[in-house]
Amino acid sequence: MTKVFALVPAKVTLFGEHAVVYGYPAIAASIPTYLRIEASFRGRGGSIARFEGVELRIPVKALGIGFDFAEIDKSYASRLAAYISKALELCSEVVGGLDSGLEISVESPLPPSIGLGTSAAVSAGVLACCAKLHGVDLGVEELASLAWRVEKEVQGAASPMDTATVCLGGIRLIEPSQRRYPLLRDSLEALVGYVPRVGTTASLVAMVKNLMGRAPSVFRAVMEGISEVVKASIEAIKQGNLELLGLLASVNHGLLRALGVVSEASDRVVHALREAGAYGAKMSGAGGGGAFIAFADPRKLEVLSEVVRALGAKVVSLKIGCPGISLGESP
Ligand code: MEV
């Protein structure tokens, strides 16, 4: 086997971000926008990774730090390299030691750090490719759980939401305390896009944690509110009730505002979508800008796409839900 590859979908959170970090349920979906991770043996020495989507080159040692940042945005490169390095470390644990460096390339149609699960996709893709090169076929559940470990160890805190969703695919209820991720529906029509983002998932999760410490009963109530939105949306998803999902999205957006994670750009886009006739919309992911999702009459999605593009946002998908990670061999 000379080269293996993984196609990993991005993901969008429908409801429940942030609360999911505290053990409340959430709902997330894979989206048919794929990162392609390729890996091959490199012989002796460290591993090398390239993130081609944003034209950067990161030499990474298989076990440990040792980056060369030529012409790279350092903070971004070190974050991505940290996920790759940790994924290789866990792969080494699983396969009983890496005796060769790997050459890894990551192609992504999405920029990193916008709340669409690129770090989860990279973590899962690198783990799966590395294991496959060593003749180990990780089951999708085990892969999701190892990729979650990568996220937790790199970020300090992370829910299993992103890694479970990109590995398993579909629209899923995430029950972190039971480690259950049941499928609610294969797919649905919705608009997913993003605006520029400031801050990282780790810094936003830490900011919310600080709020929880300052006024625990108040912010606990906000989290409970978010979890009620999640519960109400389960049936709406199963029935494809886009109108109710829009209403619930707007409520969830308001609750995320209470947590202080909604940027002005996200607010502008969400308002514009509602004004233009969406049933409802919300920011998605950790916040500070980044991803958003809107529910609307499917016939309006093209027009709504034009509305958000006019505001400078990017449109990623008009569909949510697709199969999870897949692996293959390249000649
Ligand atoms: C992840 O996209 C969003 C957060 O809920 C963090 C997590 O679930 O790990 C803020």
Side-chain angles (χ1 to χ4, degrees), residues 12-15 27 29 171 185 187-192 229 233 236-237 240-250 252 270 273-274 276-284 292-301 304 318-320:
V12 64
T13 308
L14 276 65
F15 303 102
I27 296 176
I171 306 175
R185 192 184 174 99
S187 65
L188 206 54
E189 284 166 284
L191 189 160
V192 178
V229 170
S233 69
I237 288 171
N241 186 341
L242 295 168
E243 220 166 323
L244 181 53
L245 289 172
L247 172 65
L248 294 168
S250 298
N252 198 159
V270 163
L273 282 162
R274 287 190 213 145
Y279 294 138
K282 67 181 272 291
M283 62 141 265
S284 168
F292 61 84
I293 179 164
F295 297 98
D297 180 331
R299 289 166 301 187
K300 285 197 177 153
L301 290 180
L304 292 172
L318 300 184
K319 181 189 166 198
I320 59 172

Side-chain angles (χ1 to χ4, degrees), residues 193-196 269 292 305 308-315:
Y194 64 92
V195 295
V269 163
F292 61 84
S305 301
V308 297
R309 281 195 192 105
L311 288 172
K314 297 264 192 270
V315 173

Side-chain angles (χ1 to χ4, degrees), residues 11 13 16-18 20-21 115 155 157-159 161-162 201 205 285-286:
K11 77 100 219 305
T13 308
E17 49 273 268
H18 284 290
V20 71
V21 177
Q155 288 169 203
S159 76
M161 173 166 65
D162 292 13
T201 296
V205 167

Side-chain angles (χ1 to χ4, degrees), residues 9 13 18 46 53 60 72 96 114 148 150 152 181 187 225 286 328-330:
T13 308
H18 284 290
V60 192
I72 302 170
I114 49 166
W148 179 27
V150 174
K152 275 189 292 193
Y181 319 111
S187 65
E329 287 172 33
S330 329

